[in-house]
Amino acid sequence: MAKDLTYGSGMTLVLLFCFITQFYVLPLAEAVWLTLPTSGTKCLSEEIQANVVVLADYYVISQEGGNHTVSVKVTSPYGNNLHHNENVTHGQFAFTTAESGNYVACFWMEGTHQETSIGLDWKTGIAAKDWDSVAKKEKIEGVELELRKLEGAVEAIHGYLVYLKDKEARMREISERTNGRVAWFSIMSIGVCILVSILQVWYLKRFFLKKKLI
C-alpha cells in the first residue's frame, strides 16, 4: 500500500510539474493591447526557436472618432518579410519559423491624428495547435486528450531546453574566442610598451653621450 501511495504521489508531482511548466515557463500564448502613437512605429519581438508554428490575430479596438486602420509588417531574425498588410482593421498571419532568433511584428498608422489601440493574440508552439481537429481526427477525448496535450508540452519543453543548450554553447564559444583575442591584444600591447621603453632608454643614453653628460 505504501508503495502504491508513493507511486501515485510521484505521478501527481510529475503531472503538476508539467502543468506548471506548460503555463508558466514556456511563453506559448500571449494576448496584448497596444496603443499606437499618431506617428512612428511600435514593435513587439519574441525569441523563438526554429521549426515552431506561430499564429497571430490582430484587430483595431473600436474607439470614438471613426474607424481607424493600421499597417503591419512581420520580419524574421534575418530580415525576411513574413507578413505585410496595410490599412486594415483586422488580420492574421501564420508561419513556421525557419531559424532561431527574434521575430518582430511592427504596427503603424497613416493619415490619422489620434492614437489607436489594437489587440494582438500571439500563439506559438503547442498553443497554436488545433486540438479540436486532433481530437476529431484521432477520435480521442477526455483524459486521453489531456495526456496528448501534456505529451506535446513535454516535447516543447525538451526542444526549448535543447535550444537553450545550443545557445549557451554558441555564447560560450564566442566568449572564449573573444577572451583569446583580448589576451593576444594584451600581449601585443605589453610588447609594444616594452619596445617603446627600450627605444626611449637607448635614445636618451645616446643623447646624453653626445652631450657628454655621462
Side-chain angles (χ1 to χ4, degrees):
M1 178 65 69
K3 183 178 180 179
D4 293 337
L5 290 175
T6 302
Y7 177 77
S9 301
M11 288 297 297
T12 302
L13 290 175
V14 170
L15 292 176
L16 180 61
F17 171 76
C18 291
F19 274 116
I20 292 175
T21 307
Q22 178 180 356
F23 291 106
Y24 294 100
V25 176
L26 294 179
L28 301 176
E30 184 177 10
V32 295
W33 185 344
L34 299 176
T35 299
L36 302 184
T38 55
S39 62
T41 303
K42 179 165 287 189
C43 299
L44 291 176
S45 67
E46 182 175 354
E47 185 175 0
I48 310 175
Q49 63 194 86
N51 300 319
V52 173
V53 176
V54 178
L55 297 176
D57 294 308
Y58 55 91
Y59 48 90
V60 176
I61 299 175
S62 300
Q63 293 180 342
E64 297 181 358
N67 294 325
H68 298 154
T69 60
V70 298
S71 299
V72 57
K73 184 176 182 181
V74 182
T75 55
S76 70
Y78 293 158
N80 298 322
N81 188 11
L82 302 175
H83 176 75
H84 187 197
N85 210 352
E86 295 185 356
N87 300 324
V88 295
T89 57
H90 65 276
Q92 58 183 219
F93 54 86
F95 57 88
T96 301
T97 57
E99 64 268 354
S100 301
N102 284 322
Y103 286 79
V104 183
C106 293
F107 300 86
W108 70 92
M109 298 184 299
E110 296 179 358
T112 182
H113 302 285
Q114 184 178 1
E115 292 185 345
T116 299
S117 297
I118 63 171
L120 175 64
D121 294 328
W122 181 286
K123 298 179 181 179
T124 61
I126 189 174
K129 193 170 185 178
D130 189 355
W131 289 106
D132 292 335
S133 299
V134 173
K136 292 179 180 178
K137 182 178 180 180
E138 301 184 10
K139 297 181 180 181
I140 57 176
E141 60 182 6
V143 176
E144 190 176 359
L145 179 59
E146 294 300 323
L147 290 176
R148 182 63 62 85
K149 291 181 180 180
L150 284 176
E151 181 182 2
V154 171
E155 291 177 355
I157 294 168
H158 178 264
Y160 188 69
L161 291 177
V162 172
Y163 166 70
L164 291 179
K165 183 179 179 180
D166 293 340
K167 183 178 179 180
E168 189 273 336
R170 292 195 302 268
M171 294 298 294
R172 183 174 64 250
E173 182 181 355
I174 294 174
S175 178
E176 291 176 353
R177 188 162 57 244
T178 302
N179 290 337
R181 292 176 179 176
V182 171
W184 277 109
F185 179 78
S186 300
I187 293 173
M188 292 176 62
S189 299
I190 294 173
V192 170
C193 291
I194 293 174
L195 180 61
V196 170
S197 300
I198 293 174
L199 291 175
Q200 285 180 340
V201 171
W202 174 79
Y203 175 79
L204 291 174
K205 185 176 180 180
R206 184 180 177 186
F207 175 78
F208 289 145
L209 287 175
K210 282 186 177 182
K211 295 296 183 178
K212 298 180 179 180
L213 296 175
I214 56 175

